[in-house]
Amino acid sequence: METSIGTSGGGIQASLGGRYAIALFDLARDAKTIDTVESSLANVRDALNESDDFRALTVSPLVARGAAVKAVLATADALGVDATTKNFLGVLAENRRLGQLPAIIRAFRQIAARHRGEIAAEVTSAHPLNDEQVVELKQQLRQRVGRDVSVDLSVDPELLGGLVVRIGSQMIDSSIRTRLNTLAHAMKG
């Protein structure tokens, strides 16, 4: 798998975020820290979702480069990310590419899943899923796609209930919000 990740990435390799994700994956693979980096990136993703200040830091063109580097390294320390991920965040800040973080994190998860022989799925639920529900969901997705599936979980209370699952370009939407919208549209007829 040494070179197949970069070349079989196709669409991943074509995007800027994908190229950064491939570079980070190569570093993590060489250091044998793929799982650690993936976990650190999940913490960074959660921080982006939960902290308006951190998200603003990553997208604001007004933050000076030096200040962005200092702030992102301090945030990395606060999040307890591993050294590889911390250095990577510093490079992104230095190159003014922090705005690419969400795309980089998604692409890294896809590359890591492919490396493990899995398919990565993004799962959004109205409420946090417990361990039993995650196991059941993975089994159902495995039956559907014929391979092991790694799931990236997030919560969106606006769904009201149900799930939205994205596997590559395929989306499975069983959310109550979508069903209500469909029903309302049909009633307007």
Side-chain angles (χ1 to χ4, degrees):
M1 277 232 167
E2 289 296 312
T3 57
S4 64
I5 292 293
T7 56
S8 69
I12 289 176
Q13 191 175 22
S15 70
L16 179 63
R19 290 194 301 273
Y20 274 102
I22 290 168
L24 178 59
F25 180 84
D26 288 344
L27 288 171
R29 184 190 58 216
D30 293 347
K32 298 185 179 6
T33 57
I34 294 169
D35 293 343
T36 305
V37 170
E38 192 169 13
S39 176
S40 289
L41 289 176
N43 291 341
V44 171
R45 185 205 55 226
D46 292 345
L48 283 170
N49 291 335
E50 295 165 11
S51 170
D52 292 337
D53 290 340
F54 184 48
R55 190 171 42 256
L57 166 70
T58 65
V59 296
S60 175
L62 303 177
V63 179
R65 187 183 314 244
V69 171
K70 267 189 200 166
V72 82
L73 293 178
T75 302
D77 286 338
L79 294 173
V81 304
D82 67 287
T84 302
T85 304
K86 179 180 175 180
N87 291 339
F88 181 74
L89 292 172
V91 169
L92 289 180
E94 188 66 42
N95 293 335
R96 294 206 159 284
R97 297 290 187 226
L98 287 171
Q100 292 286 321
L101 263 174
I104 291 168
I105 293 168
R106 274 193 308 276
F108 186 94
R109 282 191 54 80
Q110 291 173 354
I111 296 165
R114 189 178 311 134
H115 178 74
R116 291 188 295 265
E118 301 172 341
I119 293 176
E122 295 177 37
V123 178
T124 307
S125 59
H127 307 283
L129 300 179
N130 64 35
D131 292 343
E132 280 178 31
Q133 291 169 320
V134 172
V135 168
E136 176 66 24
L137 175 63
K138 283 183 174 183
Q139 287 175 344
Q140 288 181 11
L141 291 173
R142 186 179 201 285
Q143 288 173 351
R144 185 177 185 124
V145 299
R147 286 176 41 189
D148 285 336
V149 177
S150 71
V151 294
D152 184 14
L153 303 170
S154 60
V155 175
D156 179 0
E158 290 185 15
L159 294 180
L160 304 176
L163 299 170
V164 177
V165 180
R166 283 189 183 83
I167 302 174
S169 61
Q170 182 184 15
M171 185 168 87
I172 306 159
D173 187 341
S174 67
S175 67
I176 291 174
R177 178 181 61 187
T178 299
R179 285 190 238 158
L180 288 174
N181 288 343
T182 303
L183 180 61
H185 186 68
M187 289 175 69
K188 287 180 186 172

